[in-house]
Amino acid sequence: IEGLGPKSVYKLYKKLGTEFARYFYESEMAPKGEKIVAEFLKKGVFEKSDGAVVFRGEKYGLHTRVFITSQGLPTYETKELGLNKAKFEVEPDLSQSIIITANEQDDYFKVVLKVIEQIYPTIAQKTKHISHGMLRFAFGKMSSRLGNVITGESLIKTMENLVTEKIKDRELSVAEKQKIIEAVGVGAIKYSILKQNIGANIIYDLDKSISFEG
């Protein structure tokens, strides 16, 4: 998760109830991807351009993307090649691989998947890219320029504060209230996201999400 250190990320995942069976680290995927690009540069899938290695996507109705920079550095595209090969090395009987990103990555993945189709057709057939919209608040669009960008941690805290206010007068023990606050705070966020259509922006209304009516 961008902007968070490892400890904060794991803490957030635990709070959300999110678990991963395996992690693939970027530092390990880069050299794997570089080997793939070098191999298929010789086979004509990639080409040299001003010292960089690129894939010409225009012949497929896409756009050109750089896989190795003119400084000899692998790009995210190259790391994606290493990652997708590694998935099927770890799980050779994998029937389907689903990549989930924000929809701003749609054009990027069209090119990456076209490359995979050229070099590893079997992996390409089993790989699907699904994209989602961005989270927007009912009161307006988040903007770093306007200073109203909200982190996942702060959103959860905001929700917990709203739930706390909702149940403050209920006759419950401190432990019971805390359990409700944590469960409803996270649950409201999850439900508001999951009820949206895949690919559409998520319009989030803080007050409606914790309404005890309806």
Side-chain angles (χ1 to χ4, degrees):
I1 298 178
E2 191 173 348
L4 291 179
K7 288 185 179 179
S8 296
V9 169
Y10 297 138
K11 184 179 177 182
L12 183 57
Y13 283 151
K14 184 176 181 180
K15 196 171 189 70
L16 292 171
T18 302
E19 296 181 5
F20 295 93
R22 185 180 296 275
Y23 289 88
F24 292 89
Y25 295 99
E26 188 177 323
S27 59
E28 297 172 0
M29 297 305 106
K32 290 179 74 71
E34 287 180 284
K35 288 180 182 178
I36 294 169
V37 172
E39 177 186 350
F40 286 91
L41 173 62
K42 295 175 184 177
K43 295 180 179 180
V45 174
F46 302 99
E47 64 180 74
K48 286 282 187 75
S49 176
D50 297 326
V53 178
V54 305
F55 174 76
R56 299 291 184 189
E58 283 79 6
K59 64 182 76 172
Y60 305 101
L62 302 171
H63 62 279
T64 293
R65 293 201 73 94
V66 176
F67 279 72
I68 303 291
T69 69
S70 57
Q71 290 77 38
L73 301 174
T75 61
Y76 280 112
E77 289 86 338
T78 293
K79 295 169 188 176
E80 289 289 349
L81 297 184
L83 171 61
N84 281 278
K85 187 169 188 291
K87 286 182 186 179
F88 285 84
E89 289 173 341
V90 170
E91 299 285 350
D93 297 324
L94 196 64
S95 60
Q96 188 173 40
S97 170
I98 299 174
I99 301 168
I100 302 173
T101 72
N103 52 25
E104 60 191 16
Q105 300 292 327
D106 284 356
D107 289 341
Y108 165 84
F109 269 102
K110 283 177 183 177
V111 177
V112 170
L113 290 174
K114 179 56 68 173
V115 173
I116 294 175
E117 183 183 300
Q118 303 299 306
I119 62 179
Y120 300 125
T122 301
I123 291 178
Q125 288 172 6
K126 294 181 177 182
T127 301
K128 184 177 183 180
H129 175 233
I130 296 176
S131 60
H132 56 78
M134 303 300 287
L135 192 144
R136 302 279 185 256
F137 289 97
F139 57 77
K141 183 179 178 181
M142 287 192 291
S143 167
S144 56
R145 181 176 59 83
L146 297 175
N148 64 346
V149 172
I150 298 175
T151 66
E153 289 175 307
S154 64
L155 177 57
I156 292 171
K157 187 63 179 174
T158 298
M159 296 309 302
E160 289 180 342
N161 289 341
L162 289 172
V163 177
T164 300
E165 185 65 25
K166 280 265 187 183
I167 66 171
K168 68 178 181 179
D169 296 326
R170 302 207 174 195
E171 294 183 4
L172 299 165
S173 68
V174 173
E176 286 175 323
K177 283 187 176 181
Q178 189 57 38
K179 188 175 181 179
I180 291 170
I181 289 165
E182 292 179 1
V184 175
V186 170
I189 295 170
K190 287 185 176 182
Y191 176 71
S192 295
I193 291 171
L194 291 172
K195 74 175 184 178
Q196 307 288 332
N197 291 328
I198 292 176
N201 283 338
I202 301 155
I203 307 303
Y204 193 77
D205 188 311
L206 282 78
D207 292 318
K208 285 184 180 178
S209 70
I210 57 164
S211 173
F212 289 175
E213 293 77 40

